[in-house]
Amino acid sequence: MLYLRQKSIFMQRTFKSKIGIFVYILLLISIILLFYSMWIKCVAFLVVMLIINVLFVPSFIHTEYIIIGDMLYLKSGYLPTLKIDICAINAISRPKSFPFFPLRGYALSKECIIIYYNNKKYVVSPYDQKGFINELMKHNADIKTEKM
């Protein structure tokens, strides 16, 4: 007898983070300083630069926003994965002003958007912002958005 297992199939959509020029410059500087510390044979400086690179590079490579069903997952390197219920998102907006240092949680670019969820703000910088917002709006049409 053939048994069919019923699976709930959710569409998964992944949005990669846009990476700003400032992040590329920081990565380049940290790698140059790493090699410089090897050149001058300073072990303490080398250890510090290795730790910085080990912590920085994974967030640079693995920052993404995943929508599965009605849940939004924010992933970035060693930071904990945040799980956000899309139905509870109140609003989405662009920040009014940008700080000089664009690395804020789950955003790697100054071209970011703010997600308001349970009286908290989450800053994200998806490469395809319109597609990201449209996908969120498919799951929750009550999200307030300003002109983007």
Side-chain angles (χ1 to χ4, degrees):
M1 185 184 261
L2 179 64
Y3 292 100
L4 296 174
R5 293 191 320 189
Q6 189 174 10
K7 295 181 182 178
S8 60
I9 300 173
F10 291 112
M11 182 82 143
Q12 177 177 329
R13 191 83 199 270
T14 302
F15 294 89
K16 292 288 191 181
S17 177
K18 185 172 189 171
I19 301 170
I21 189 71
F22 188 70
V23 177
Y24 283 115
I25 292 169
L26 280 177
L27 181 65
L28 182 63
I29 289 171
S30 69
I31 291 172
I32 289 171
L33 288 175
L34 177 70
F35 284 110
Y36 178 71
S37 66
M38 287 187 287
W39 180 263
I40 63 171
K41 298 177 183 161
C42 179
V43 177
F45 188 49
L46 176 64
V47 169
V48 169
M49 292 313 302
L50 278 172
I51 290 171
I52 289 172
N53 279 296
V54 164
L55 294 176
F56 179 65
V57 172
S59 65
F60 178 72
I61 296 171
H62 299 293
T63 300
E64 57 190 11
Y65 319 110
I66 303 168
I67 299 173
I68 302 174
D70 285 338
M71 299 304 291
L72 170 64
Y73 298 90
L74 306 178
K75 296 173 67 175
S76 180
Y78 295 119
L79 292 175
T81 300
L82 288 179
K83 185 177 178 182
I84 297 174
D85 183 13
I86 296 173
C87 297
I89 293 175
N90 304 327
I92 298 173
S93 68
R94 290 191 193 269
K96 303 297 183 225
S97 63
F98 301 107
F100 180 70
F101 192 72
L103 291 173
R104 295 179 291 168
Y106 297 88
L108 296 178
S109 173
K110 68 178 185 176
E111 297 174 21
C112 54
I113 57 177
I114 301 173
I115 297 174
Y116 297 92
Y117 170 76
N118 286 345
N119 298 324
K120 294 181 182 176
K121 295 182 200 179
Y122 296 105
V123 182
V124 296
S125 59
Y127 194 77
D128 179 15
Q129 286 188 1
K130 286 185 180 184
F132 180 73
I133 293 170
N134 289 338
E135 193 67 30
L136 291 177
M137 296 293 284
K138 285 181 189 176
H139 296 278
N140 182 1
D142 296 333
I143 297 174
K144 296 175 190 165
T145 60
E146 58 185 41
K147 281 191 174 181
M148 302 253 182

